[in-house]
Amino acid sequence: MAQKPKVDPHVGRLGYLQALVTEFQETESQDAKEQVLANLANFAYDPSNYQYLRQLQVLDLFLDSLSEENENLVEFAIGGLCNLCADRANREHILQVGGVPLITNCLSSPTEETVLSAVTTLMFLSAPGTSSHPELTSVPVLQCMLRFSLSASTRLRNLAQIFLEDCCSPSQVAEARSRQAHSALGIPLPPTEAPQQS
């Protein structure tokens, strides 16, 4: 288990969050990075921290972490973004810096919690009053949601269905369905091993 972050308890909330960000950036330990990112994601749940997290550029830290190979870091980062998306300023920042493709990449994660957080984040980003971004309801995203709506996982199936009903028009869903019927999406690819020569 990673050690607790080395933070002076008398520095206040901003100082504490700054110490976490600094530790994340300076540590070489993957366990410590995971623990710190999980802590930041938990702090992202509290609206009283939003201003501090924006000031410390934690949204960008979360977005950058979505490209990590470590699935735990990706899971904590998308969870933090999901928590922050309840706030309009945070949603607008994510949209302005081009965060949607990083979030949609999480839809193919092997970790169900990562996928659930990614779907929920996309739903928050599609909220009324947020500037329109067609990439949120692009055909590939909708095809993915259509596949998720058939998932054996009740949570994923229900969340995908809510996304399709609340964030998309019936014509968008119909177009994605018609394109999906004519594509090979969902068919497993063959192994990448080279064929054996005899």
Side-chain angles (χ1 to χ4, degrees):
M1 179 107 198
Q3 294 180 344
K4 286 196 170 198
K6 301 167 188 87
V7 177
D8 181 347
H10 304 292
V11 296
R13 189 176 299 229
L14 178 60
Y16 183 78
L17 292 170
Q18 175 65 67
L20 287 174
V21 170
T22 300
E23 181 171 353
F24 181 84
Q25 293 168 336
E26 292 178 354
T27 187
E28 297 295 321
S29 164
Q30 285 295 304
D31 286 343
K33 278 187 179 287
E34 289 175 14
Q35 184 176 6
V36 170
L37 206 61
N39 284 333
L40 287 169
N42 286 334
F43 278 105
Y45 190 72
D46 185 350
S48 64
N49 293 324
Y50 290 167
Q51 177 186 349
Y52 301 130
L53 294 170
R54 277 193 299 270
Q55 181 180 340
L56 297 169
Q57 300 177 331
V58 172
L59 283 92
D60 297 318
L61 186 145
F62 285 150
L63 288 167
D64 290 343
S65 296
L66 295 181
S67 302
E68 292 285 339
E69 290 182 19
N70 180 327
E71 282 292 328
N72 289 331
L73 290 177
V74 174
E75 179 183 346
F76 299 142
I78 191 64
L81 288 169
C82 185
N83 288 341
L84 288 168
C85 276
D87 179 72
R88 182 179 188 163
N90 292 336
R91 288 193 304 268
E92 288 297 335
H93 177 80
I94 292 166
L95 293 168
Q96 288 171 0
V97 300
V100 173
L102 294 168
I103 294 164
T104 57
N105 285 343
C106 293
L107 295 174
S108 62
S109 171
T111 307
E112 185 176 11
E113 292 303 320
T114 298
V115 175
L116 292 168
S117 291
V119 173
T120 305
T121 302
L122 292 172
M123 291 170 68
F124 278 134
L125 292 173
S126 301
T130 304
S131 58
S132 176
H133 283 265
E135 61 195 331
L136 292 168
T137 54
S138 66
V139 170
V141 170
L142 296 187
Q143 288 175 328
C144 190
M145 295 301 168
L146 287 167
R147 285 193 305 278
F148 290 163
S149 72
L150 304 173
S151 173
S153 164
T154 303
R155 295 186 309 157
L156 184 55
R157 184 175 60 243
N158 290 344
L159 200 54
Q161 193 60 43
I162 292 168
F163 181 93
L164 291 167
E165 291 172 7
D166 292 357
C167 303
C168 311
S169 69
S171 63
Q172 288 174 311
V173 175
E175 179 185 353
R177 274 199 175 102
S178 83
R179 288 196 188 180
Q180 193 169 27
H182 302 294
S183 74
L185 289 175
I187 298 173
L189 297 174
T192 56
E193 292 178 16
Q196 301 223 346
Q197 301 285 333
S198 15

